[in-house]
Amino acid sequence: MSISTINAELLAKMFLAGARNLEINKEWINELNVFPVPDGDTGTNMTMTIMSAAKEVAALDAPNMEVLAKAISSGSLRGARGNSGVILSQLLRGFTKGIKYSEEIDKVVIVDAFQKATATAYKAVMKPKEGTILTVAKGFSDKSLELLEADAEFNEILEGSLAYAEEVLAKTPEMLPVLKEAGVVDSGGQGLIQVLKGAFDAYLGKEVDYDIPAAKAESAGAVKDTPAADISTADIKFGYCTEFIIMTKEPMSVEEELKFKAFLEGIGDSIVVVADEEIVKVHVHTNEPGVAITKALTYGELSRMKIDNMREEHREKLIKDASKLAAEAAKEEKKPQMPHKENGFISVSIGAGIGEIFRELGVDYLIEGGQTMNPSTENMLNAIEQVNADTIYILPNNKNIILAANQAQSLTKDKKVVVIPTKTVPQGLAALIGFEAGKTAEENAELMTECAANIKTGQVTYAVRDTHIDDKDIHEGNIMGIGDHAILSVGEDIAETTKDMLAQMTDEDSELISIYYGEDVTEEAANALGDELTELYPDCEVEVYAGGQPIYYYVVSVE
């Protein structure tokens, strides 16, 4: 089979097939995580990213190439989670730049789009590292250009580029020693290969299931849309299925689209917002359809409005409650927004106790997430929208969330957003303490970053598989003490492993040891450990806090 061009219909099928193939293989990709911790999430992050776009693509009805490109780009941009997800969204963004104005894609156009995809992704990463998803993407795009210049056929370009990308993936352990030591290839690169394989299968006309079922969408961070007949009225949180089309006064920008969707998320769920040059299709389940419609009218005229009561069998009860609902809606409308501030703070938190500490230090908005569930760019944008401040500081507190925060920063135009690149919760706490009112945003960014850099962090968890890394043999079930750059200790006992880890983190200059115990550790056990550490380090002050975090028995810091 040889197809010389790809139209919008075929490209949509290829994209959905790629998304489904990634979703099917996400757990396998998760297991490629270098560290054998119970939160290896590359496959999950990439799947949630691409499924955000897949839902928008699946909702389109016979789109042209430009509409399809925008759905792929904006959907993945909003849904981007983790470093791998953000890079994938940038690859898709660059690719769609190259094809959106073509009625049909020939081999010259698609190869150019591959080059734009790689260039856009590399540009998004401050310090690109070879042996990662970026290297695999570059191998694919470089090979496609080589084959084009050799006058290969369309299918030969795709097939040859995919085969070469797999060769590059197999070589990633030689580029990154940590991959070689762990005996795995790069997980992000493997995720990209699965997307490309699925897309290529659709191109070849293979039998592929293009549907994005509710269960799959739920795994991508969406709310499962359950038929009303299968659940009781009490289970329906939002009772009105509201749909309409906005005839926009002018094209809705990506930033406006994100803000509008964030607004809808504040009053409902099951949200779909798909913007074209002149129209915006909207679907939302809400208890306040009038509020959604009023907001939509600020963008233009409305057409094809449809509001269905999902609790039809209990209509009488709803009528009786209508006045109460209206009063509550009016009360919500009058609810004052957060007082205006010069400086505001957003922090990612990983447990109730740690979240409370952040609030006590002045954080205005907490995003629950961290290592086990990386928040998306859209989560960040929604938080930015909620904080009423001229300058907003974001503390990602995880190296895998910094890129999503940076992406949200680049999409925000009406507020100054400063991302402090904190990689751990203790670094985030130190950065907050280092903030000084009266200094400029630039001065505080430098000061807060410096304070975060002075903190040593250790995290104690368990191994989910056998491996060899950092010159240590690790077996499934072992307790691991993980420092800022390597696994520091491995043992069978939580407290002993924690003490071994701290012995390598402390020195004669250490003054304070802070312990945040997780949800699987009792207060008594944490205090007992604190007492032991006080005896071991008489020159250090030891503080014990209830962190409440999952997965990690202890998060500790030394300063």
Side-chain angles (χ1 to χ4, degrees):
M1 173 185 176
S2 179
I3 298 176
S4 59
T5 60
I6 295 174
N7 59 20
E9 180 183 3
L10 177 54
L11 183 62
K13 288 182 176 180
M14 291 172 66
F15 179 74
L16 292 176
R20 286 298 302 277
N21 197 50
L22 175 60
E23 199 277 338
I24 290 168
N25 290 287
K26 70 176 181 181
E27 292 304 331
W28 169 51
I29 295 166
N30 282 342
E31 292 173 2
L32 295 175
N33 187 38
V34 169
F35 289 106
V37 293
D39 57 18
D41 52 8
T42 299
T44 299
N45 281 338
M46 294 183 74
T47 297
M48 295 177 82
T49 298
I50 203 168
M51 281 297 179
S52 176
K55 286 183 292 176
E56 295 201 11
V57 170
L60 297 176
D61 183 20
N64 60 31
M65 196 70 75
E66 188 173 359
V67 172
L68 175 61
K70 184 166 186 177
I72 292 172
S73 179
S74 63
S76 60
L77 193 71
R78 291 195 304 267
R81 297 173 185 266
N83 291 345
S84 54
V86 171
I87 292 172
L88 177 61
S89 75
Q90 292 296 324
L91 287 168
L92 293 170
R93 179 188 177 204
F95 177 80
T96 56
K97 283 180 182 178
I99 56 94
K100 65 180 179 180
Y101 296 123
S102 303
E103 289 188 13
E104 292 197 337
I105 304 169
D106 60 20
K107 63 182 183 180
V108 174
V109 171
I110 202 166
V111 169
D112 177 64
F114 292 152
Q115 311 309 307
K116 285 184 170 64
T118 301
T120 302
Y122 266 87
K123 186 177 179 181
V125 180
M126 186 173 296
K127 295 180 180 179
K129 184 181 293 186
E130 297 307 326
T132 66
I133 181 175
L134 291 171
T135 310
V136 176
K138 189 173 187 301
F140 183 91
S141 62
D142 286 351
K143 190 65 175 180
S144 71
L145 182 59
E146 177 187 323
L147 291 170
L148 176 66
E149 292 173 344
D151 201 27
E153 296 296 324
F154 202 123
N155 65 305
E156 293 173 336
I157 291 174
L158 296 183
E159 185 174 12
S161 300
L162 177 55
Y164 184 70
E166 290 189 88
E167 291 180 22
V168 174
L169 175 66
K171 295 176 182 177
T172 54
E174 302 302 321
M175 304 177 203
L176 279 179
V178 68
L179 295 175
K180 187 173 184 178
E181 187 178 11
V184 295
V185 296
D186 179 68
S187 55
Q190 185 64 266
L192 178 60
I193 290 293
Q194 298 313 309
V195 174
L196 295 171
K197 279 186 172 181
F200 188 57
D201 282 346
Y203 168 82
L204 294 175
K206 292 183 179 180
E207 196 67 31
V208 177
D209 180 6
Y210 300 109
D211 290 336
I212 305 297
K216 304 300 183 186
E218 184 179 23
S219 72
V223 177
K224 186 175 180 180
D225 192 2
T226 309
D230 295 340
I231 57 178
S232 70
T233 300
D235 292 328
I236 302 176
K237 184 176 180 181
F238 300 105
Y240 295 93
C241 177
T242 305
E243 299 178 69
F244 50 82
I245 292 177
I246 308 173
M247 314 296 289
T248 53
K249 302 169 186 175
E250 56 186 31
M252 182 178 280
S253 68
V254 173
E255 292 81 8
E256 289 175 325
E257 189 179 340
L258 291 172
K259 288 182 179 180
F260 182 47
K261 189 172 181 184
F263 173 85
L264 294 177
E265 286 183 332
I267 62 170
D269 63 10
S270 298
I271 296 161
V272 176
V273 177
V274 181
D276 196 353
E277 290 298 319
E278 298 177 353
I279 66 171
V280 181
K281 297 181 181 180
V282 180
H283 172 280
V284 59
H285 290 175
T286 179
N287 289 330
E288 305 170 287
V291 175
I293 289 171
T294 299
K295 181 68 173 178
L297 283 168
T298 64
Y299 296 102
E301 297 180 6
L302 302 189
S303 173
R304 300 186 188 179
M305 289 184 289
K306 179 172 171 284
I307 301 175
D308 291 329
N309 184 348
M310 295 189 294
R311 303 184 182 102
E312 295 257 1
E313 66 275 23
H314 295 278
R315 182 179 297 277
E316 291 301 319
K317 181 179 183 301
L318 289 176
I319 291 175
K320 291 178 183 178
D321 291 344
S323 58
K324 179 180 177 182
L325 291 172
E328 290 178 352
K331 182 179 179 181
E332 185 67 23
E333 282 290 301
K334 296 175 183 178
K335 186 177 178 180
Q337 67 173 159
M338 187 181 295
H340 178 265
K341 303 169 61 180
E342 182 179 350
N343 297 295
F345 302 90
I346 296 169
S347 177
V348 176
S349 183
I350 59 174
I354 288 173
E356 188 58 35
I357 295 171
F358 273 122
R359 287 197 183 282
E360 290 174 0
L361 290 174
V363 168
D364 301 285
Y365 195 104
L366 287 174
I367 300 175
E368 291 297 329
Q371 190 73 354
T372 54
M373 179 57 70
N374 296 155
S376 67
T377 296
E378 190 164 22
N379 293 145
M380 297 283 183
L381 288 168
N382 184 52
I384 292 168
E385 179 72 16
Q386 297 298 317
V387 177
N388 186 15
D390 298 325
T391 300
I392 299 173
Y393 298 85
I394 299 181
L395 305 167
N397 302 331
N398 187 301
K399 65 180 181 181
N400 208 32
I401 300 175
I402 294 173
L403 278 183
N406 288 337
Q407 192 152 276
Q409 176 191 48
S410 68
L411 291 172
T412 303
K413 306 301 180 185
D414 58 341
K415 298 175 182 177
K416 185 176 182 64
V417 176
V418 179
V419 177
I420 309 300
T422 51
K423 298 178 180 179
T424 66
V425 163
Q427 285 188 0
L429 294 170
L432 270 175
I433 294 171
F435 174 82
E436 291 187 18
K439 288 188 177 295
T440 67
E442 291 72 20
E443 288 171 335
N444 265 312
E446 183 177 349
L447 181 61
M448 294 168 77
T449 301
E450 183 180 338
C451 288
N454 290 330
I455 298 296
K456 297 177 185 177
T457 302
Q459 301 177 94
V460 181
T461 186
Y462 59 92
V464 295
R465 68 171 188 273
D466 295 349
T467 190
H468 180 83
I469 190 170
D470 294 331
D471 294 325
K472 293 177 176 62
D473 287 316
I474 299 171
H475 300 287
E476 182 178 348
N478 280 165
I479 306 301
M480 300 180 298
I482 306 171
D484 288 316
H485 306 293
I487 295 176
L488 301 179
S489 61
V490 177
E492 302 291 337
D493 181 80
I494 296 172
E496 291 303 318
T497 303
T498 304
K499 288 188 289 184
D500 289 345
M501 177 185 70
L502 276 166
Q504 300 175 63
M505 293 173 59
T506 55
D507 55 34
E508 64 275 7
D509 295 325
S510 300
E511 297 178 350
L512 173 64
I513 298 174
S514 300
I515 305 171
Y516 306 89
Y517 62 91
E519 62 183 10
D520 294 323
V521 176
T522 65
E523 181 179 0
E524 292 74 19
N527 285 331
L529 176 61
D531 291 340
E532 286 189 67
L533 294 175
T534 299
E535 292 184 13
L536 288 171
Y537 304 100
D539 294 331
C540 286
E541 183 178 351
V542 177
E543 298 178 346
V544 179
Y545 302 95
Q549 70 273 7
I551 304 296
Y552 292 90
Y553 301 115
Y554 292 108
V555 173
V556 303
S557 66
V558 177
E559 54 186 296

